[in-house]
Amino acid sequence: MLSNIGMPGLILILVLALIIFGPNKLPEIGRAFGKSIREFKRATDGIADDIKEEIKSDIQEAKKEAIDLKK
């Protein structure tokens, strides 16, 4: 999606943001956006780790049941 913007479009967006928010507010907005992205990444990593652990425990249970069935 962002690959279709191109350099002229990106420059236009940055100039418009500079005009709308001003030079003093723009770094604050950038920091807030960066923090939001980091928090989102942490949350998605946590969810992915939880899913991986669930899958591992399910596989271990299935292996135990398979061993019990063989006996």
Side-chain angles (χ1 to χ4, degrees):
M1 185 169 129
L2 291 178
S3 62
N4 295 336
I5 292 176
M7 189 56 78
L10 187 59
I11 291 172
L12 179 64
I13 291 171
L14 291 174
V15 168
L16 287 174
L18 186 61
I19 291 170
I20 292 171
F21 297 112
N24 296 332
K25 241 353 184 182
L26 211 52
E28 294 174 24
I29 293 170
R31 269 187 239 107
F33 183 71
K35 286 180 183 178
S36 299
I37 296 294
R38 276 191 298 267
E39 286 297 320
F40 180 76
K41 187 175 184 319
R42 284 185 195 138
T44 55
D45 287 345
I47 292 170
D49 291 342
D50 290 344
I51 291 171
K52 287 177 186 177
E53 288 299 320
E54 283 290 323
I55 290 172
K56 284 181 184 178
S57 66
D58 288 346
I59 289 172
Q60 288 174 351
E61 287 178 23
K63 285 181 181 180
K64 287 179 184 177
E65 289 176 8
I67 291 171
D68 290 342
L69 288 176
K70 287 181 182 178
K71 291 181 181 181

